[in-house]
Coordinates of all heavy atoms in Angstrom, one line a residue:
Y489 N 23.5 141.1 177.2 CA 24.2 141.1 175.9 C 24.9 142.4 175.7 O 26.1 142.5 175.3 CB 23.2 140.8 174.8 CG 23.8 141.1 173.4 CD1 24.8 140.3 172.8 CD2 23.3 142.2 172.7 CE1 25.3 140.6 171.6 CE2 23.9 142.5 171.4 CZ 24.8 141.7 170.9 OH 25.4 142.0 169.7
V490 N 24.2 143.5 176.0 CA 24.8 144.9 175.8 C 25.9 145.1 176.8 O 27.0 145.7 176.4 CB 23.7 146.0 175.9 CG1 24.3 147.3 175.9 CG2 22.7 145.8 174.8
A491 N 25.8 144.6 178.0 CA 26.9 144.8 179.0 C 28.1 143.9 178.7 O 29.2 144.1 179.2 CB 26.4 144.5 180.4
S492 N 27.9 142.8 177.9 CA 29.0 141.9 177.7 C 30.0 142.4 176.7 O 29.8 143.4 176.0 CB 28.5 140.5 177.2 OG 28.0 140.7 175.9
D493 N 31.2 141.7 176.5 CA 32.2 142.1 175.6 C 32.0 141.5 174.2 O 32.8 141.6 173.3 CB 33.6 141.6 176.1 CG 34.0 142.4 177.3 OD1 33.5 143.5 177.5 OD2 34.8 141.9 178.1
V494 N 30.9 140.8 174.0 CA 30.5 140.1 172.8 C 30.1 141.1 171.7 O 29.3 142.0 172.0 CB 29.4 139.1 173.0 CG1 29.0 138.5 171.7 CG2 29.8 138.0 174.0
Y495 N 30.8 141.0 170.5 CA 30.4 142.0 169.5 C 29.7 141.4 168.3 O 29.3 142.1 167.4 CB 31.7 142.6 168.9 CG 32.2 143.7 169.8 CD1 33.1 143.5 170.9 CD2 31.7 145.0 169.7 CE1 33.5 144.5 171.7 CE2 32.1 146.0 170.5 CZ 33.0 145.8 171.5 OH 33.4 146.7 172.4
Y496 N 29.5 140.1 168.3 CA 28.7 139.5 167.1 C 27.3 139.8 167.3 O 26.8 140.1 168.4 CB 29.0 138.0 167.0 CG 28.6 137.2 168.2 CD1 27.3 136.8 168.4 CD2 29.5 136.8 169.2 CE1 26.9 136.1 169.5 CE2 29.2 136.1 170.3 CZ 27.9 135.7 170.4 OH 27.5 135.0 171.5
P497 N 26.5 139.9 166.2 CA 25.1 140.2 166.2 C 24.3 139.1 167.0 O 24.8 138.0 167.0 CB 24.6 140.2 164.8 CG 25.9 140.4 164.0 CD 27.0 139.8 164.8
K498 N 23.3 139.5 167.6 CA 22.5 138.5 168.4 C 21.1 138.6 167.8 O 20.5 139.6 167.6 CB 22.5 138.9 169.9 CG 21.6 138.0 170.7 CD 22.4 137.6 172.0 CE 21.5 136.6 172.7 NZ 22.1 136.1 173.9
R499 N 20.5 137.4 167.7 CA 19.1 137.4 167.2 C 18.2 136.6 168.2 O 18.7 135.7 168.9 CB 19.0 136.7 165.8 CG 19.3 135.3 165.7 CD 19.2 134.8 164.3 NE 19.2 133.3 164.4 CZ 19.0 132.6 163.4 NH1 18.7 133.1 162.2 NH2 19.0 131.2 163.5
Y500 N 17.0 137.1 168.3 CA 16.1 136.5 169.2 C 14.9 136.0 168.5 O 14.3 136.7 167.6 CB 15.6 137.6 170.2 CG 16.7 138.1 171.1 CD1 17.5 139.2 170.8 CD2 16.9 137.5 172.3 CE1 18.5 139.6 171.7 CE2 17.8 137.9 173.2 CZ 18.6 139.0 172.9 OH 19.6 139.4 173.7
K501 N 14.5 134.8 168.8 CA 13.4 134.1 168.1 C 12.1 134.6 168.7 O 11.8 134.6 169.9 CB 13.5 132.6 168.3 CG 12.6 131.8 167.5 CD 12.9 130.3 167.6 CE 12.2 129.5 166.6 NZ 12.6 128.1 166.6
I502 N 11.2 135.0 167.8 CA 9.8 135.4 168.2 C 8.9 134.2 168.0 O 8.1 133.9 168.9 CB 9.3 136.6 167.3 CG1 10.3 137.7 167.4 CG2 7.9 137.0 167.7 CD1 10.6 138.3 168.7
R503 N 8.9 133.6 166.9 CA 8.2 132.3 166.6 C 9.0 131.6 165.5 O 10.0 132.1 165.1 CB 6.8 132.6 166.2 CG 6.6 133.5 165.0 CD 5.1 133.8 164.7 NE 5.0 134.6 163.5 CZ 5.0 135.9 163.4 NH1 5.2 136.6 164.5 NH2 4.9 136.5 162.3
P504 N 8.6 130.4 165.1 CA 9.4 129.7 164.1 C 9.7 130.5 162.9 O 8.8 131.2 162.3 CB 8.5 128.5 163.7 CG 7.7 128.3 165.0 CD 7.4 129.7 165.5
R505 N 11.0 130.6 162.5 CA 11.5 131.4 161.4 C 11.3 132.9 161.4 O 11.3 133.5 160.4 CB 11.0 130.8 160.1 CG 11.5 129.3 159.9 CD 11.1 128.8 158.5 NE 9.7 128.9 158.2 CZ 8.8 127.9 158.4 NH1 9.2 126.8 159.0 NH2 7.6 128.0 158.1
V506 N 11.0 133.4 162.6 CA 10.8 134.9 162.8 C 11.7 135.3 163.9 O 11.5 134.9 165.0 CB 9.3 135.2 163.0 CG1 9.2 136.7 163.3 CG2 8.4 134.8 161.9
Y507 N 12.6 136.3 163.6 CA 13.6 136.8 164.6 C 13.6 138.3 164.5 O 13.3 138.9 163.5 CB 15.0 136.2 164.3 CG 15.1 134.8 164.3 CD1 14.8 134.0 163.1 CD2 15.5 134.1 165.4 CE1 14.9 132.6 163.1 CE2 15.6 132.7 165.4 CZ 15.3 132.0 164.3 OH 15.4 130.6 164.3
F508 N 14.2 138.9 165.6 CA 14.7 140.3 165.5 C 16.2 140.2 165.9 O 16.6 139.3 166.6 CB 13.9 141.2 166.4 CG 14.1 141.2 167.8 CD1 15.1 141.9 168.4 CD2 13.3 140.4 168.6 CE1 15.3 141.8 169.8 CE2 13.5 140.3 170.0 CZ 14.5 141.0 170.6
I509 N 16.9 141.2 165.4 CA 18.4 141.2 165.6 C 18.8 142.5 166.3 O 18.2 143.5 166.2 CB 19.2 141.0 164.3 CG1 19.0 142.2 163.4 CG2 18.9 139.7 163.6 CD1 20.0 142.3 162.3
I510 N 19.9 142.3 167.1 CA 20.6 143.5 167.7 C 22.0 143.4 167.3 O 22.7 142.3 167.5 CB 20.4 143.4 169.3 CG1 19.0 143.4 169.7 CG2 21.2 144.5 169.9 CD1 18.8 143.3 171.2
I511 N 22.6 144.5 166.9 CA 24.0 144.6 166.5 C 24.6 145.8 167.3 O 24.1 146.9 167.2 CB 24.2 144.8 165.0 CG1 23.5 143.7 164.2 CG2 25.6 145.0 164.6 CD1 23.5 143.9 162.7
K512 N 25.7 145.5 167.9 CA 26.5 146.6 168.6 C 27.3 147.3 167.5 O 27.9 146.7 166.7 CB 27.4 146.0 169.7 CG 26.7 145.4 170.8 CD 27.8 144.9 171.8 CE 27.2 144.3 173.0 NZ 28.2 143.8 173.9
T513 N 27.3 148.7 167.6 CA 28.0 149.4 166.6 C 28.5 150.7 167.2 O 28.0 151.2 168.2 CB 27.1 149.7 165.4 OG1 27.8 150.5 164.4 CG2 25.9 150.5 165.8
E514 N 29.6 151.3 166.5 CA 30.1 152.6 166.9 C 29.5 153.7 166.0 O 29.9 154.8 166.2 CB 31.6 152.5 166.7 CG 32.4 151.5 167.6 CD 32.3 151.9 169.1 OE1 32.2 153.0 169.4 OE2 32.2 150.9 169.9
A515 N 28.7 153.3 165.1 CA 28.1 154.3 164.2 C 27.2 155.3 164.9 O 26.5 155.0 165.8 CB 27.2 153.6 163.1
A516 N 27.4 156.6 164.6 CA 26.6 157.7 165.2 C 25.2 157.8 164.6 O 24.3 158.3 165.3 CB 27.4 159.0 165.2
T517 N 25.1 157.5 163.3 CA 23.8 157.7 162.7 C 23.5 156.4 161.9 O 24.4 155.6 161.6 CB 23.9 158.9 161.7 OG1 24.8 158.6 160.6 CG2 24.3 160.2 162.3
M518 N 22.2 156.4 161.5 CA 21.8 155.2 160.7 C 22.5 155.1 159.4 O 22.9 154.1 158.9 CB 20.3 155.3 160.5 CG 19.7 154.1 159.8 SD 19.8 152.6 160.8 CE 18.3 152.8 161.8
L519 N 22.8 156.3 158.8 CA 23.5 156.4 157.5 C 24.9 155.8 157.6 O 25.4 155.1 156.8 CB 23.5 157.8 157.0 CG 24.1 158.0 155.6 CD1 23.4 157.2 154.5 CD2 24.2 159.4 155.2
D520 N 25.6 156.2 158.7 CA 26.9 155.7 159.0 C 26.9 154.2 159.1 O 27.8 153.5 158.6 CB 27.5 156.3 160.2 CG 27.9 157.8 160.0 OD1 27.9 158.2 158.9 OD2 28.2 158.4 161.0
F521 N 25.9 153.7 159.8 CA 25.8 152.2 160.0 C 25.6 151.5 158.7 O 26.2 150.5 158.4 CB 24.7 151.9 161.0 CG 24.5 150.4 161.2 CD1 25.3 149.7 162.0 CD2 23.5 149.7 160.5 CE1 25.1 148.3 162.2 CE2 23.3 148.4 160.7 CZ 24.1 147.7 161.5
K522 N 24.7 152.1 157.9 CA 24.4 151.4 156.6 C 25.5 151.5 155.6 O 25.7 150.5 154.8 CB 23.2 152.1 155.9 CG 21.9 152.0 156.7 CD 21.2 150.7 156.4 CE 19.9 150.6 157.2 NZ 19.0 149.8 156.7
E523 N 26.4 152.5 155.7 CA 27.5 152.6 154.8 C 28.8 152.0 155.4 O 29.9 152.1 154.9 CB 27.8 154.1 154.5 CG 26.7 154.7 153.6 CD 26.9 156.1 153.3 OE1 27.9 156.7 153.8 OE2 26.1 156.7 152.5
K524 N 28.6 151.4 156.6 CA 29.7 150.7 157.3 C 30.9 151.6 157.6 O 32.0 151.2 157.5 CB 30.1 149.4 156.5 CG 29.0 148.4 156.3 CD 29.5 147.2 155.6 CE 28.3 146.3 155.4 NZ 28.5 145.3 154.5
K525 N 30.6 152.8 157.9 CA 31.7 153.8 158.2 C 32.3 153.6 159.6 O 33.4 154.0 159.9 CB 31.2 155.2 158.1 CG 30.9 155.6 156.7 CD 30.5 157.1 156.6 CE 30.3 157.5 155.1 NZ 29.8 158.8 155.0
A526 N 31.5 153.0 160.5 CA 31.9 152.8 161.9 C 32.3 151.4 162.2 O 31.5 150.7 162.9 CB 30.9 153.4 162.9
L527 N 33.4 150.9 161.6 CA 33.8 149.6 161.9 C 34.4 149.5 163.3 O 34.9 150.5 163.8 CB 34.8 149.1 160.9 CG 34.3 149.0 159.5 CD1 35.4 148.6 158.5 CD2 33.1 148.0 159.4
R528 N 34.4 148.4 164.0 CA 34.8 148.2 165.3 C 36.3 148.5 165.5 O 36.7 149.0 166.5 CB 34.5 146.8 165.8 CG 34.4 146.7 167.3 CD 33.8 145.4 167.7 NE 34.5 144.2 167.2 CZ 35.5 143.6 167.9 NH1 35.8 144.1 169.1 NH2 36.1 142.5 167.5
S529 N 37.1 148.2 164.5 CA 38.5 148.3 164.6 C 39.0 149.8 164.3 O 38.7 150.3 163.3 CB 39.2 147.4 163.7 OG 40.6 147.6 163.7
N530 N 39.7 150.4 165.2 CA 40.3 151.7 165.0 C 41.7 151.6 164.6 O 42.5 152.6 164.7 CB 40.1 152.6 166.2 CG 38.6 152.9 166.5 OD1 37.8 152.9 165.5 ND2 38.3 153.1 167.7
L531 N 42.2 150.4 164.3 CA 43.6 150.2 164.0 C 43.9 150.6 162.5 O 43.0 150.6 161.7 CB 44.0 148.8 164.2 CG 43.7 148.1 165.5 CD1 43.9 146.6 165.5 CD2 44.5 148.8 166.6
D532 N 45.1 151.0 162.2 CA 45.5 151.2 160.8 C 45.6 149.9 160.1 O 45.6 148.8 160.8 CB 46.7 152.1 160.7 CG 48.0 151.5 161.2 OD1 47.9 150.3 161.6 OD2 49.0 152.1 161.2
N533 N 45.7 149.9 158.8 CA 45.7 148.6 158.1 C 46.8 147.7 158.4 O 46.6 146.5 158.5 CB 45.8 149.0 156.6 CG 44.5 149.5 156.0 OD1 43.4 149.3 156.7 ND2 44.5 150.1 154.9
S534 N 48.0 148.2 158.7 CA 49.1 147.2 159.0 C 48.9 146.5 160.3 O 49.2 145.4 160.4 CB 50.5 148.0 159.0 OG 50.5 148.9 160.0
Q535 N 48.4 147.3 161.3 CA 48.1 146.6 162.6 C 47.0 145.7 162.5 O 47.0 144.6 163.1 CB 47.7 147.7 163.6 CG 48.9 148.5 164.1 CD 48.5 149.6 165.1 OE1 47.4 150.2 164.9 NE2 49.3 149.9 166.0
A536 N 46.0 146.0 161.7 CA 44.8 145.1 161.5 C 45.3 143.8 160.8 O 44.8 142.7 161.2 CB 43.7 145.8 160.6
K537 N 46.2 143.9 159.8 CA 46.6 142.7 159.1 C 47.4 141.8 160.1 O 47.3 140.6 160.1 CB 47.5 143.0 157.9 CG 46.7 143.5 156.8 CD 47.6 143.9 155.6 CE 46.8 144.5 154.5 NZ 47.7 145.0 153.4
E538 N 48.2 142.4 161.0 CA 49.0 141.7 161.9 C 48.1 140.9 162.9 O 48.4 139.8 163.3 CB 50.0 142.6 162.7 CG 51.2 143.0 161.9 CD 52.0 144.0 162.6 OE1 51.9 144.1 163.9 OE2 52.8 144.7 162.0
R539 N 47.0 141.6 163.3 CA 46.1 141.0 164.2 C 45.3 139.9 163.6 O 45.0 138.9 164.3 CB 45.1 142.1 164.7 CG 45.0 142.2 166.2 CD 44.1 143.3 166.5 NE 43.1 142.8 167.3 CZ 42.0 143.4 167.7 NH1 41.8 144.6 167.3 NH2 41.1 142.9 168.4

Side-chain angles (χ1 to χ4, degrees):
Y489 167 70
V490 172
S492 72
D493 292 336
V494 175
Y495 279 92
Y496 59 83
K498 180 131 184 179
R499 68 181 192 170
Y500 292 91
K501 189 174 189 175
I502 304 302
R503 59 182 184 272
R505 297 187 304 268
V506 177
Y507 301 86
F508 74 86
I509 63 165
I510 299 177
I511 301 173
K512 292 180 181 180
T513 180
E514 299 293 328
T517 65
M518 185 68 82
L519 184 63
D520 288 348
F521 178 78
K522 296 280 180 155
E523 293 180 355
K524 299 180 181 168
K525 289 184 180 175
L527 297 176
R528 200 167 62 89
S529 175
N530 292 333
L531 306 172
D532 65 7
N533 286 342
S534 64
Q535 288 176 325
K537 285 180 186 172
E538 286 176 17
R539 233 175 120 190

